[in-house]
């Protein structure tokens, strides 16, 4: 279970990422069922050594907020509260959406974790 926060009508949560023994705590992560994929900020990813490499494909993603170029990296662990998964592919992008976010949890991670969103109690639970 993980508590959600409402900030300017956005559902936010914190999330942990581990990559090659380095850990990153993301504080302002948007829970977005309309996003197909999970994205984290390039600037934050770089702090734990997640950087584009020669063979990484850069591609464009589009959504309601516009479009941006991203690349994908598989991280060792993604953890939201007591829910976690290993060897998960994240998209890394600039995230210049006009408001302060560290990342976006998309439908890919929500489905992988089998998340149940309880809006009445503002919490995430897992169906695992």
């Amino acid at each position: 279970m993980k508590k959600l926060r409402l900030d300017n009508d956005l559902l936010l949560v914190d999330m942990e990422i581990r990559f090659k023994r380095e850990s990153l705590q993301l504080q302002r992560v948007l829970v977005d069922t309309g996003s197909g994929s999970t994205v984290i900020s390039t600037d934050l990813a770089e702090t734990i050594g997640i950087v584009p490499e020669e063979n990484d494909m850069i591609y464009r993603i589009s959504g309601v907020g516009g479009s941006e170029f991203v690349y994908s990296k598989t991280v060792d662990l993604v953890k939201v509260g007591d829910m976690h998964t290993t060897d998960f592919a994240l998209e890394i992008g600039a995230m210049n959406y006009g408001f302060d976010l560290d990342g976006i949890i998309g439908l890919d991670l929500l489905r992988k974790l089998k998340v149940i969103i309880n809006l009445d109690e503002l919490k995430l639970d897992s169906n695992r």
Side-chain angles (χ1 to χ4, degrees):
M1 192 270 299
K2 183 66 181 166
K3 289 295 279 181
L4 293 165
R5 303 182 304 281
L6 265 179
D7 185 348
N8 291 320
D9 291 326
L10 298 175
L11 285 174
L12 300 178
V13 69
D14 55 291
M15 176 171 79
E16 178 183 353
I17 294 170
R18 291 190 197 147
F19 181 74
K20 295 184 180 176
R21 297 187 184 152
E22 296 289 330
S23 181
L24 176 63
Q25 299 292 327
L26 303 170
Q27 302 301 313
R28 294 183 52 82
V29 182
L30 177 67
V31 177
D32 185 358
T33 61
S35 176
S37 58
T38 299
V39 184
I40 65 167
S41 161
T42 302
D43 292 339
L44 294 173
E46 287 176 351
T47 66
I48 60 168
I50 300 175
V51 295
E53 297 176 84
E54 187 176 325
N55 293 330
D56 290 339
M57 280 190 54
I58 296 176
Y59 51 97
R60 181 186 297 260
I61 59 171
S62 298
V64 174
S67 65
E68 72 173 306
F69 289 100
V70 298
Y71 65 95
S72 181
K73 281 291 184 186
T74 298
V75 296
D76 302 323
L77 175 81
V78 177
K79 185 175 180 184
V80 180
D82 57 0
M83 299 169 282
H84 69 278
T85 188
T86 58
D87 300 321
F88 189 78
L90 298 172
E91 291 177 340
I92 316 298
M95 298 192 58
N96 293 326
Y97 303 136
F99 42 92
D100 183 32
L101 291 176
D102 296 342
I104 297 172
I105 295 176
L107 204 52
D108 58 346
L109 183 58
L110 293 170
R111 291 184 70 197
K112 178 81 173 182
L113 297 176
K114 299 184 184 293
V115 169
I116 299 168
I117 302 172
N118 184 329
L119 295 175
D120 189 44
E121 297 181 25
L122 285 178
K123 67 179 183 177
L124 298 177
D125 280 312
S126 179
N127 200 15
R128 284 186 175 185

